[in-house]
Amino acid sequence: MHLKYESQLREPLVYGEKTYHNVTEDIVRPIEAKPSKLWYIGFYIAVSLLLFGVYSVYRDVTYGIGQWNLNKTIGWGWDITNFVWWVGIGHAGTLISAILLLFRQGWRTGVNRAAEAMTIFAVMCAGQFPVWHMGRVWMAFFVFPYANTRGPLWLNFNSPLLWDVFAISTYFTVSLLFWYSGLLPDLATVRDRAKTKLRKYFYGVASFGWSGSTKHWQRHESLSLVLAGLSTPLVLSVHTIVSFDFATSVVPGWHTTIFPPYFVAGAVFSGFAMVQSLMLIVRKVFGMQDYITIGHIEAMNKVIVTTGSIVGVAYLTELFMGWYSQNKYEGYTFWYSRANLFSPYGWSYWGMMACNVLSPQIFWFKKLRRNLYVTFFMSVIVNIGMWFERFVIIVTSLYRDYLPSSWSVYYSPTIWEIGFYLGTFGLFFTCFFLFSKYFPVIAIAEIKYVLKTTGENYKEKMVHLEAVDASVFGHSGHGHTIVDNESSN
Amino acid sequence: MAKKRFVVGCFDDEEVLFPAVKKVRTAGYKIKDVYTPFAVHGLDHALGMRETSLHTAGFIYGITGTITALGGISWILTYDWPLNIGGKPHFSLPAWIPIIFELTVLFAAVGMVLTFCYISQLAPFVKRHHFHPRATDDLFVMVIETTEKTNVEDLKAFLSNAGAVETDSHFVEEGWWIGRYDREEMPFENKQIVAA
Amino acid sequence: MSSSITIKEQFEIPGKLKTWAFALMGVGLLALIAGFATKTGTEEERAVFIGTIMYNTIFWTLITNASMFFIAVTTLAMGGWQQSFRRIPEAISTMVPIFGAITLVVLLYIAFTGNHHIYHWLDTKSVETDEVLRGKSGFLNVKFFTIWTILAIGLWSLLGWRMRQLSNEADEERMDTEKGNSFIWRNTVRAALFIVWFALTVGSTVPWLWMMSIDAHWYSTMYSWYTFASSFVSGMSLIALWVIYLKNKGYLEYTNQEHLHDLGKFMFAFSIFWAYLWFSQYMLIWYSNQPEETIYFKNRVQGPYKGLFFLNLIINFISPLLIFMKRSSKRNYTLVTFMAILIIFGHWIDFYQMVMGSISKETVTLGWLDFGILSFFIGLMIFFVSKALASKPLVPKYHPFLKESIIHHT
């Protein structure tokens, strides 16, 4: 046992008089109660959007992707923009779980479970776009490495598009495993409290017979750490490989070496914004204010301003190099097609700049970081900005290529492209609503693990430790003596 | 698969649990396991468990993934069906790094999770006896194996003395079986015992 | 009980360390004089001579500045674990003005003597005839180069000094909650200022200006982040080396294997991060295969620098990856010492090939002069860092997060 101590300067991560049992009660309650009206309304809206999306995709498959407004040079439009956007959003969950676990940022425990779920749903949404973009979707199995029937002709392993297949599917699998292995103990908690037969059956199956054995916990911890260690480079690799889709080409505005880390920073940026939006809703709808505190929200806003600024440095770097390279094509793309507000797509570049770089700077101010309304508004703005970023990259580089004769007309999506995009929102929120109803939205076991260090009522009991001299901490051999001395006094 | 008698002591505070574990072990009792609602830091050492080598397995799976990807791609693109792709050499290692990396991670992660489930006997429809329903809520449940010589009542008193808030004894199946949590079913052979 | 315990928190410079510092500086000076005497005959030779000093001084400026970056970042992240040894990166960061001054002298000397064998853009005739160079002259000119270099080094030194000044308050008296909060707040503000300036210099402009512009035609948007990664991982290694040294001498009682483990994690993670950036830059240029970009790697991969190029990868990526993967190796003082030295050496080689690979394209000049100058810088670093360490307590006794650091557990 180690001394449980945390500086009083840190805000508690769990508010209220909480025992372990209270934690269980608070988090499992929404699962055991009937969903609220608000939940039903949200769920039905999500399902309707999903159905509209299904119909849009049905048209795409039946009539071909001529249903979309893609043209001879803009072969990637809304579809790939949305793909990259969703993949980007799907980064925050693993980042929170893995990187913040390795960096031992205590506040991750409040938000990691929902963020991981969000990751999985976002990657599911992302995966839709390249698949349906194929047009002849029944040929989708061609992406798998097998020697095909026309002789042993294999896949092109040198192609970034194939790397993407491996990256996205690996990322999805590993995130799912990471998320589910973390869920096992919590599902067991729900199972052991279950009153109804159905619930006993469902959570019994889902919890894999978890008992809480110390040996299992020991292996579980080892597993989580290694999965976190694996997920950290994995999460970097995914958006890196997405950026390779662009950067390996010789298209001006795409071929730039900073793309990999800058895509990753942007992904984290938009992912956190999405987590922020969802957590604010979850917190409100399920009354989780004690667990998702203002402190959590502030911490995430700090991540948002940091990554937003990193992305800003990258934008400026690119813009600078567009000039510095003295390469006509790069210069044209960056300074005419993008940065010139009066060029056809100038609005999207400046929209991106305003949403991603300028507006998050308000989070330098503590007051605004801790304001829920500002936070929610900003989280939406950031995601709009990040959508613009992908749109800018794809469309402005494609619509004016090396060859002026193939310059294309103004591209705007058809209703079916928009419908497809809305459909993925439907998919995402349908999944998220189901998740939030049937699974613990906060990692119960992990909250219990940190409860006695960062819980408000436990921190109050630690106040006397502030007056204890530091040297005592150093000599107490992990603190037993202090605790004993204090209690015997 | 056999039934056994276990003595159960439930603790509600890990500060009490640790000294209790020490006392029970010094007294010579064999602790089958302690069931806890969360990972209690250092409890595995207190129980004298050896370190898990799950991560070593993960490393081996990872290396397998690396070799599979590198071997597979180089065989395909340099031997089985070499293609000129953009004038690049057939053996284009830089272009293969992404897939090699992904497969390394995939093999390591999937392999480790499967190994974890296998060695811990965790799977859908796996059922085992749970000594206390609050072991996943707020109790630290210590389970002690008994022999013919054990005096159950003495042991229970000993546990209460050590700070257990609740004590009990169970005569139950110690392993796992295929079953559902909405039904009180026991393993096949035990059903016969009940019938007899 | 608490009053009876006194800890060794005042560093006294051992005589042996001073001797070592002077010896290394002496060797360095000898090498410098010998180099000046024998290696400055032609203009090309002079370029190599000055280039050798240049990459050394840039390397040491950036890796010591990385210490302040580490403090600023951990401050912003509200880190607690680093407090027990934070005076070490603080002391290392006092080198920034010293190494920075040397860098400034060397760079301005190059700029004002117009040594176009190093900076091609200093050659006025070429600039007149070369369209690309003329186009870039808004950025690559002596005036901007001078002003920005002075500003960069000056503000790193100033903002770093302000961070260190604030740290002294933690030696004075116990802080109550209110005082502690205001202390942390002021730390955060100063750290944020440092980080912003760091992003505008190390994170972008400075590596372009100082190093990338040697190949005046070539460009890579990744260059600065790559340089940052290289200098940060060696900076962490330098911190680890000093921590271990002090630990061996019986200081830093509150710092233990747990802290070492985390330093090891940083070295491990950022070695991989460096390799990631290395790969991204290299692979993208290799893949798209445009001559104006591949020119940079031509002499490095296929020419005389081939050996160093792969050595760079083996030392800086493969070895940390394999050795630091195991938990126990990050907790082993001997192994961390070995790895720290290896990583610093590896990234020194990296800086060597970044700078000299462009100045002396046809021949690898690595030899006694490089190692001599390196030893001068090491000697200087040991001398001043030990002085800085001795100038204040090694532990910020009343830092609000110190206790968290003491009971820190990985």
Side-chain angles (χ1 to χ4, degrees), chain A residues 304-318:
Chain A
I304 289 178
V305 67
T306 310
T307 46
S309 305
I310 293 175
V311 167
V313 170
Y315 290 161
L316 295 179
T317 297
E318 278 190 329

Side-chain angles (χ1 to χ4, degrees), chain A residues 281-299:
Chain A
I281 297 170
V282 165
R283 173 176 200 274
K284 186 87 197 136
V285 173
F286 297 114
M288 296 291 181
Q289 284 88 341
D290 286 348
Y291 300 95
I292 305 165
T293 67
I294 302 281
H296 286 87
I297 288 163
E298 189 186 4

Side-chain angles (χ1 to χ4, degrees), chain A residues 198-215:
Chain A
L198 186 68
R199 226 176 273 149
K200 274 186 184 164
Y201 172 74
F202 176 73
Y203 293 103
V205 174
S207 61
F208 287 18
W210 177 269
S211 60
S213 146
T214 304
K215 190 71 204 172

Side-chain angles (χ1 to χ4, degrees), chain A residues 94-401:
Chain A
T94 311
L95 185 104
I96 289 177
S97 316
I99 300 184
L100 298 184
L101 174 74
L102 297 180
F103 278 114
R104 271 187 315 281
Q105 293 283 315
W107 56 270
R108 57 176 275 287
T109 47
V111 293
N112 63 347
R113 176 62 42 75
E116 284 166 37
M118 184 213 74
T119 286
I120 291 162
F121 307 145
V123 175
M124 275 161 56
C125 292
Q128 305 303 318
F129 290 96
V131 169
W132 300 106
H133 184 115
M134 288 177 189
R136 287 182 290 170
V137 74
W138 48 95
M139 300 292 199
F141 65 95
F142 272 34
V143 301
F144 295 111
Y146 74 108
N148 72 24
T149 45
R150 298 174 300 275
L153 185 64
W154 294 85
L155 296 168
N156 179 3
F157 290 97
N158 292 3
S159 161
L161 298 180
L162 187 69
W163 306 345
D164 241 355
V165 173
F166 278 87
I168 305 279
S169 48
T170 300
Y171 184 57
F172 179 72
T173 314
V174 176
S175 302
L176 194 66
L177 293 175
F178 195 21
W179 176 68
Y180 202 80
S181 61
L183 257 174
L184 285 179
D186 293 353
L187 292 174
T189 303
V190 185
R191 173 198 70 202
D192 291 345
R193 291 167 48 94
K195 298 279 183 306
T196 69
K197 218 169 162 200
L198 186 68
R199 226 176 273 149
K200 274 186 184 164
Y201 172 74
F202 176 73
Y203 293 103
V205 174
S207 61
F208 287 18
W210 177 269
S211 60
S213 146
T214 304
K215 190 71 204 172
H216 291 182
W217 273 120
Q218 184 201 39
R219 292 184 188 133
H220 191 265
E221 264 195 293
S222 166
L223 178 74
S224 309
L225 264 178
V226 177
L227 284 184
L230 287 170
S231 303
T232 306
L234 179 65
V235 75
L236 258 74
S237 83
V238 175
H239 229 52
T240 293
I241 290 174
V242 171
S243 83
F244 287 162
D245 291 344
F246 302 97
T248 50
S249 72
V250 289
V251 176
W254 285 9
H255 179 65
T256 166
T257 48
I258 207 172
F259 253 33
Y262 133 54
F263 263 52
V264 173
V268 173
F269 180 54
S270 66
F272 266 89
M274 192 56 116
V275 173
Q276 197 76 280
S277 312
L278 292 178
M279 289 328 275
L280 286 171
I281 297 170
V282 165
R283 173 176 200 274
K284 186 87 197 136
V285 173
F286 297 114
M288 296 291 181
Q289 284 88 341
D290 286 348
Y291 300 95
I292 305 165
T293 67
I294 302 281
H296 286 87
I297 288 163
E298 189 186 4
M300 289 198 275
N301 280 336
K302 282 185 186 167
V303 176
I304 289 178
V305 67
T306 310
T307 46
S309 305
I310 293 175
V311 167
V313 170
Y315 290 161
L316 295 179
T317 297
E318 278 190 329
L319 197 60
F320 173 79
M321 287 295 167
W323 166 79
Y324 179 83
S325 67
Q326 291 291 309
N327 177 322
K328 278 181 209 147
Y329 302 101
E330 294 285 342
Y332 183 83
T333 303
F334 279 103
W335 290 92
Y336 177 76
S337 300
R338 293 185 184 173
N340 181 355
L341 182 59
F342 303 104
S343 72
Y345 289 105
W347 56 271
S348 61
Y349 185 83
W350 287 103
M352 163 189 106
M353 277 292 193
C355 294
N356 289 350
V357 184
L358 298 177
S359 61
Q361 304 302 328
I362 64 166
F363 283 147
W364 285 100
F365 302 101
K366 199 179 173 98
K367 268 229 171 80
L368 297 172
R369 278 202 302 266
R370 298 174 74 90
N371 182 315
L372 298 182
Y373 299 101
V374 173
T375 300
F376 189 77
F377 177 72
M378 273 311 301
S379 68
V380 176
I381 290 290
V382 165
N383 268 316
I384 295 174
M386 284 309 290
W387 189 89
F388 271 131
E389 180 198 294
R390 280 61 178 254
F391 181 81
V392 167
I393 290 170
I394 291 173
V395 173
T396 60
S397 277
L398 287 178
Y399 91 118
R400 300 245 164 125
D401 213 334

Side-chain angles (χ1 to χ4, degrees), chain A residues 104 158 240 255-256 324 466, chain C residues 136 221 262 276 287 293:
Chain A
R104 271 187 315 281
N158 292 3
T240 293
H255 179 65
T256 166
Y324 179 83
E466 292 295 328
Chain C
K136 292 183 182 194
T221 40
D262 274 351
Y276 160 64
Y287 200 105
E293 289 181 355

Side-chain angles (χ1 to χ4, degrees), chain A residues 7 9-10 104 158 160 240 255-258 260 320-321 323-327 465-466 468 471-472 475, chain C residues 2 5 78 135-136 208 212 219-222 253-254 262 276 284 287-288 290 292-293 400 403-404 408:
Chain A
S7 168
L9 298 188
R10 296 186 196 275
R104 271 187 315 281
N158 292 3
T240 293
H255 179 65
T256 166
T257 48
I258 207 172
F320 173 79
M321 287 295 167
W323 166 79
Y324 179 83
S325 67
Q326 291 291 309
N327 177 322
L465 290 176
E466 292 295 328
V468 173
S471 59
V472 181
H475 284 272
Chain C
S2 56
I5 299 158
M78 297 276 277
K136 292 183 182 194
W208 302 334
M212 195 171 85
Y219 58 93
S220 166
T221 40
M222 179 74 98
E253 200 178 334
Y254 298 152
D262 274 351
Y276 160 64
L284 288 175
Y287 200 105
S288 75
Q290 300 179 75
E292 73 210 54
E293 289 181 355
K403 288 173 193 166
E404 287 185 6
H408 170 64

Side-chain angles (χ1 to χ4, degrees), chain A residues 1-2 4 20-21 24 152-158 162-163 166-167 170 173-174 177 184 188-189 191-192 197 200-201 204-205 208-223 226-227 230 233-234 237 241 244 445 448-449 452, chain B residues 13-15 18 33-39 41 43-44 47 49-52 54-55 73 75-77 80-81 85 95-96 98-99 101-103 105-106 108-110 112 116 119-120 122-126 128 130 133 136-138 140 180-182:
Chain A
M1 277 304 292
H2 303 294
K4 295 206 182 298
Y20 291 136
H21 182 65
T24 312
L153 185 64
W154 294 85
L155 296 168
N156 179 3
F157 290 97
N158 292 3
L162 187 69
W163 306 345
F166 278 87
T170 300
T173 314
V174 176
L177 293 175
L184 285 179
T189 303
R191 173 198 70 202
D192 291 345
K197 218 169 162 200
K200 274 186 184 164
Y201 172 74
V205 174
F208 287 18
W210 177 269
S211 60
S213 146
T214 304
K215 190 71 204 172
H216 291 182
W217 273 120
Q218 184 201 39
R219 292 184 188 133
H220 191 265
E221 264 195 293
S222 166
L223 178 74
V226 177
L227 284 184
L230 287 170
L234 179 65
S237 83
I241 290 174
F244 287 162
K448 286 177 188 163
Y449 182 80
K452 290 199 174 171
Chain B
D13 190 347
E14 61 268 44
E15 308 271 347
F18 274 87
D33 215 329
V34 179
Y35 298 94
T36 60
F38 58 90
H41 203 87
L43 185 58
D44 48 347
L47 288 170
M49 287 177 178
R50 70 173 190 88
E51 289 288 339
T52 171
L54 195 58
H55 46 269
I73 300 176
W75 176 73
I76 290 167
L77 289 189
D80 188 50
W81 198 271
I85 300 162
W96 303 345
I99 294 180
F101 171 77
E102 297 299 330
L103 282 198
V105 171
L106 185 68
V110 172
M112 264 187 87
F116 167 72
I119 56 176
S120 310
L122 294 170
F125 295 103
V126 160
R128 43 168 67 85
H130 298 281
T136 52
D137 181 5
D138 60 348
F140 305 89
R180 292 164 50 170
Y181 276 84
D182 57 329

Side-chain angles (χ1 to χ4, degrees), chain A residues 420-460:
Chain A
F420 187 9
Y421 184 41
L422 292 178
T424 52
F425 272 101
L427 178 62
F428 180 79
F429 281 103
T430 305
C431 292
F432 196 80
F433 274 112
L434 288 175
F435 159 75
S436 63
K437 172 65 191 79
Y438 293 105
F439 292 83
V441 283
I442 291 172
I444 305 173
E446 290 186 48
I447 291 284
K448 286 177 188 163
Y449 182 80
V450 298
L451 183 67
K452 290 199 174 171
T453 320
T454 68
E456 192 185 14
N457 47 335
Y458 299 96
K459 286 196 78 163
E460 277 161 16

